Amino acid sequence: MITKDLHMHTCYCDGKNTPEEMVQSAIEKGLTTVGISGHSYTFFDESYCMQKADILRYLAECRYLRAKYFDQIHVLCGVEQDYYSDCPTDDFDYVIGSVHYIKVEGEYIPVDESVEILKEAVDKHFGGDVYALCEAYFETVADVVNKTECDIIGHFDLISKFIEKEPLFDVTHPRYVAAWQKAVEELLKHNVPFEINTGVISRGYRTSPYPSEEMREYIREKGGRFVLSSDAHSTDAIACGFEEYEALV
């Protein structure tokens, strides 16, 4: 049984619960290690991330909880470092490297906010070519380890968040497949594990985790490794789907 969950968010960023509530819930669920991984500060979008002024308090609180619950669970203090964040990560126990935006002509375009935003970006910046947007996304993802020096690669195919309910593109299209396979090949050079992220299930967007089954098979065939994580934004989502998906790791 998987008893570690290293990807979760609290009220320090866009999560619903306090760090202590997340730790207590993880204990109740039988976990042996819990990692709080607040969203790194992004100067161009402060709507979802930790604020710079709160980071020291976040670190201190996580360390306090580690000491308080040391005989019940191991508490780690991590960060989900966005590709475009310029904040240092030296003080954190581990780093999840993620791409939430693509930068085009000076504009930061979120890839996981809405289909409407993606459609507008395709028309405005890519001449109506949705696969050019996908290629730009995976080109950025391919560089996420270089940029963030992460320990875990976060939600590799985040751009497909809405694909089941509002299919903006065909995931079997040759250009889409070529784009993500090229990114996988580059990332595998670093021997950093990919996370299997069940957060998209707990929040009701997809019925299967990131990355897709096809991607997981390709990564595994190429010798890649995986870490199971919930990307929980509330206590009820901690370790979501772990019993079902633990065999994948």
Side-chain angles (χ1 to χ4, degrees):
M1 177 181 176
I2 302 295
T3 60
K4 298 179 181 180
D5 192 350
L6 301 180
H7 191 164
M8 59 186 67
H9 301 283
T10 70
C11 56
Y12 275 94
C13 51
D14 59 349
K16 296 180 180 179
N17 296 96
T18 66
E20 184 158 21
E21 288 170 338
M22 298 298 275
V23 170
Q24 290 172 339
S25 180
I27 293 171
E28 292 171 2
K29 293 174 185 292
L31 297 188
T32 60
T33 300
V34 62
I36 309 297
S37 54
H39 283 293
S40 62
Y41 175 75
T42 46
F43 65 90
F44 52 88
D45 183 0
E46 298 184 343
S47 63
Y48 75 106
C49 61
M50 293 193 291
Q51 300 303 298
K52 273 189 174 181
D54 293 334
I55 292 176
L56 288 178
R57 184 162 60 90
Y58 167 80
L59 287 162
E61 184 166 350
C62 287
R63 289 166 182 160
Y64 164 75
L65 294 173
R66 177 184 300 172
K68 181 175 180 178
Y69 294 98
F70 81 96
D71 58 346
Q72 299 178 68
I73 195 169
H74 185 42
V75 178
L76 293 172
C77 186
V79 64
E80 184 176 10
Q81 185 77 356
D82 183 76
Y83 183 87
Y84 291 107
S85 175
D86 59 1
C87 288
T89 60
D90 297 344
D91 292 332
F92 299 101
D93 295 322
Y94 65 97
V95 177
I96 299 171
S98 297
V99 174
H100 299 95
Y101 308 84
I102 54 174
K103 185 179 181 182
V104 186
E105 298 173 341
E107 181 179 347
Y108 295 91
I109 303 164
V111 300
D112 64 335
E113 193 165 319
S114 72
V115 172
E116 288 69 30
I117 287 176
L118 294 176
K119 287 180 178 178
E120 290 175 5
V122 168
D123 293 337
K124 181 178 180 181
H125 298 290
F126 297 96
D129 184 355
V130 67
Y131 296 102
L133 178 143
C134 294
E135 288 163 349
Y137 168 76
F138 282 114
E139 285 174 6
T140 308
V141 173
D143 191 49
V144 73
V145 177
N146 285 327
K147 183 69 183 299
T148 66
E149 298 183 343
C150 59
D151 304 290
I152 300 169
I153 298 165
H155 38 57
F156 175 75
D157 56 337
L158 182 65
I159 198 169
S160 66
K161 177 178 179 178
F162 309 105
I163 203 68
E164 289 188 15
K165 295 185 176 181
E166 300 179 79
L168 182 60
F169 50 85
D170 179 3
V171 296
T172 67
H173 191 283
R175 285 176 61 191
Y176 183 79
V177 174
W180 69 253
Q181 288 185 347
K182 184 177 179 180
V184 167
E185 298 286 350
E186 185 61 36
L187 291 169
L188 287 173
K189 296 176 183 178
H190 302 279
N191 195 32
V192 173
F194 293 73
E195 71 168 359
I196 294 178
N197 182 315
T198 62
V200 71
I201 301 172
S202 65
R203 290 192 291 281
Y205 292 103
R206 285 179 22 171
T207 56
S208 60
Y210 305 116
S212 69
E213 182 178 359
E214 293 76 16
M215 292 174 174
R216 296 195 304 266
E217 291 178 356
Y218 187 84
I219 293 167
R220 181 172 285 108
E221 288 173 0
K222 297 290 184 176
R225 298 179 294 129
F226 296 102
V227 172
L228 190 59
S229 64
S230 70
D231 197 354
H233 285 63
S234 57
T235 56
D236 60 311
I238 293 173
C240 169
F242 275 26
E243 290 185 4
E244 180 177 357
Y245 293 105
E246 65 178 341
L248 299 178
V249 297

